[in-house]
């Protein structure tokens, strides 16, 4: 497959593919092993479904009904873009005898609209508003899996984990809060085998992006967005934007502000000294002098003492990436990652933070197996020698260029290991 997130390529024999998938599904549910032609994204989802205790003969539970559902979805951010979803997908769903569905971040269906007869058929499997279609509730399915992996995904026939869903094909894409990158839910198109085409996945992905652009205009403005903003990713000298001013900080001031922005409760002089200096002989006077200079740079009222702390919350690009990772929005986290945290800094606490953020993101990328995200990391300055990422990229996109680069890196790694082993020891 050229795109592992697409269920079928044009020209595939649908009947034969369904037969092979059904046999592979039975093998998995009986023996726990995955056979061809199951795609890696589906195999991973099957394993997660089994670990969650989902049975192949289960069904979705309705968690929200009547007044509870109406009140909940009226307050949900995706309610603001339902007119857009209907405009872009409504006719396509009705004319093609498909369904337009929108779920929240927990996989609960908020809206299911489209062709009347298809809606009636979908009720048999509880594909109805208020039902929970999270992956850990009903196994592999496009809206639930799209939310779980934060990627547009297509699920065809017996790729669905629950048997009663296997006559259906669906494609879904996650929708993010444009301010925070948090997954708000997913938009889905569900129907028959006619959706088993790369175009349906591209279509729903484009709709999700349009919704995010619309949300950027519609979501209310919060005062928190007016707070000072600190950019420290990929920069040796951080940039602070506050009160209409853009201040380029020195390296030491950058380190101090990064650390204080992460500790709103403040840090004592001893704590800050340990975080900043490798050399324990640095005197408290040196630190106090740096903080006095920083106070003059920041202006009055922003930096307090006893303990040292910032008097207003400061938003940092580091914190944004961390929040996106914690919420599972890996693609959004990767998009916001402009490089390592203060890459030239040797401050012990900054070094630990830099390693933690980079390792967290690269681990998520390797686990997610998204070829585009892996390629972006591998070709960035901080990833060009990352052999583990190149191995992951080669597994999902084994082009000649990728394989050649991986071979070169592994050769260099072998040579450096041999040199280290041959070095005389005292």
């Amino acid at each position: 497959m050229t795109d592992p997130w697409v269920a079928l390529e044009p020209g595939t024999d649908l009947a034969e593919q369904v037969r092979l998938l059904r046999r592979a599904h039975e093998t998995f549910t009986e023996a726990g092993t995955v056979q061809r032609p199951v795609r890696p994204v589906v195999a991973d989802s099957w394993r997660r479904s089994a670990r969650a205790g989902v049975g192949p003969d289960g069904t979705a539970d309705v968690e929200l009904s009547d007044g509870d559902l109406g009140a909940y979805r009226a307050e949900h951010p995706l309610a603001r873009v339902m007119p857009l979803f209907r405009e872009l997908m409504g006719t396509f769903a009705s004319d093609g005898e498909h369904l337009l569905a929108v779920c929240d971040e927990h996989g609960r269906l908020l809206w299911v609209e489209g062709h009347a007869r298809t809606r009636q058929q979908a009720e048999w499997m509880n594909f109805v508003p208020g039902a929970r279609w999270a992956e850990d509730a009903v196994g592999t399915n496009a809206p639930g899996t799209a939310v779980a992996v934060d990627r547009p995904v297509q699920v065809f026939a017996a790729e669905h984990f629950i048997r009663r869903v296997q006559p259906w094909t669906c494609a879904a894409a996650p929708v993010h809060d444009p301010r925070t990158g948090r997954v708000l839910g997913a938009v889905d198109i569900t129907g028959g085998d006619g959706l088993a085409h790369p175009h349906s996945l591209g279509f729903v992905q484009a709709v999700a992006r349009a919704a995010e652009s619309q949300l950027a205009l519609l979501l209310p403005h919060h005062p928190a967005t007016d707070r000072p903003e600190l950019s420290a990713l990929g920069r040796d000298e951080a940039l602070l934007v506050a009160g209409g001013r853009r201040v380029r900080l020195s390296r030491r001031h950058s380190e101090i502000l990064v650390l204080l922005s992460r500790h709103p409760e403040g840090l004592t002089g001893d704590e800050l000294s340990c975080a900043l200096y490798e050399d324990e002989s640095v005197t408290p006077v040196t630190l106090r002098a740096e903080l006095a200079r920083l106070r003059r740079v920041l202006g009055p009222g922003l930096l307090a003492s006893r303990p040292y702390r910032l008097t207003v919350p400061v938003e940092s690009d580091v914190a944004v990436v961390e929040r996106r990772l914690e919420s599972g929005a890996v693609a959004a986290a990767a998009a916001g990652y402009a490089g390592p945290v203060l890459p030239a800094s040797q401050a012990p606490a900054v070094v630990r933070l830099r390693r933690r953020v980079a390792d967290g993101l690269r681990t998520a990328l390797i686990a997610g197996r998204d070829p585009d995200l892996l390629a972006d990391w591998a070709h960035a300055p901080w990833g060009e020698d990352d052999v583990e990422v190149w191995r992951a990229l080669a597994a999902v996109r084994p082009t000649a260029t990728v394989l050649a680069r991986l071979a070169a890196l592994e050769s260099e790694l072998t040579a450096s290991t041999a040199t280290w082993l041959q070095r005389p020891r005292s």
Side-chain angles (χ1 to χ4, degrees), residues 51-292:
R51 287 196 298 268
V54 179
D57 296 314
T59 189
D61 292 328
V62 176
E63 294 187 346
L64 297 171
S65 59
D66 302 331
D68 290 337
L69 173 63
Y72 178 76
R73 64 185 182 183
E75 296 297 325
H76 197 277
L78 291 181
R80 298 173 178 269
V81 288
M82 270 308 296
L84 177 69
F85 289 147
R86 293 182 178 117
E87 178 183 354
L88 296 178
M89 302 177 68
T91 301
F92 176 77
S94 296
D95 293 351
E97 299 188 6
H98 308 314
L99 298 178
L100 156 64
V102 177
C103 72
D104 69 3
E105 65 273 29
H106 306 294
R108 288 181 297 221
L109 297 177
L110 302 182
W111 292 272
V112 179
E113 302 177 358
H115 192 268
R117 187 172 65 252
T118 308
R119 283 206 315 272
Q120 291 176 347
Q121 293 169 344
E123 290 175 2
W124 181 74
M125 59 178 181
N126 263 3
F127 195 78
V128 295
R132 184 164 177 260
W133 277 73
E135 195 181 69
D136 62 2
V138 292
T140 309
N141 69 94
T145 301
V147 169
V149 301
D150 189 23
R151 275 282 309 184
V153 63
Q154 192 175 53
V155 179
F156 167 70
E159 290 181 332
H160 289 93
F161 193 77
I162 289 184
R163 292 189 179 96
R164 70 172 60 195
V165 190
Q166 292 180 352
W168 299 80
T169 294
C170 46
V175 181
H176 303 91
D177 186 321
R179 303 163 303 175
T180 66
R182 181 174 65 90
V183 175
L184 297 174
V187 58
D188 166 82
I189 191 78
T190 288
D193 292 346
L195 291 176
H197 193 286
H199 290 168
S200 67
L201 185 63
F203 172 54
V204 78
Q205 185 174 9
V207 171
R209 288 175 175 169
E212 290 170 350
S213 298
Q214 184 85 337
L215 285 170
L217 300 174
L218 296 178
L219 286 178
H221 179 73
H222 291 291
T225 59
D226 293 331
R227 63 186 178 183
E229 296 181 354
L230 181 68
S231 300
L233 291 173
R235 308 174 62 98
D236 293 331
E237 297 179 331
L239 177 68
L240 178 69
V241 178
R245 298 170 59 222
R246 297 170 61 88
V247 182
R248 183 175 176 178
L249 303 168
S250 70
R251 292 192 179 187
R252 184 62 75 193
H253 290 170
S254 300
E255 295 165 345
I256 293 172
L257 215 57
V258 164
L259 296 176
L260 291 181
S261 70
R262 300 180 65 77
H263 293 276
E265 75 284 1
L267 295 170
T268 66
D270 287 343
E271 290 172 332
L272 199 50
S273 182
C274 290
L276 289 171
Y277 301 112
E278 293 180 288
D279 186 355
E280 296 181 0
S281 66
V282 174
T283 65
V285 174
T286 301
L287 178 59
R288 285 199 295 270
E290 284 288 2
L291 288 161

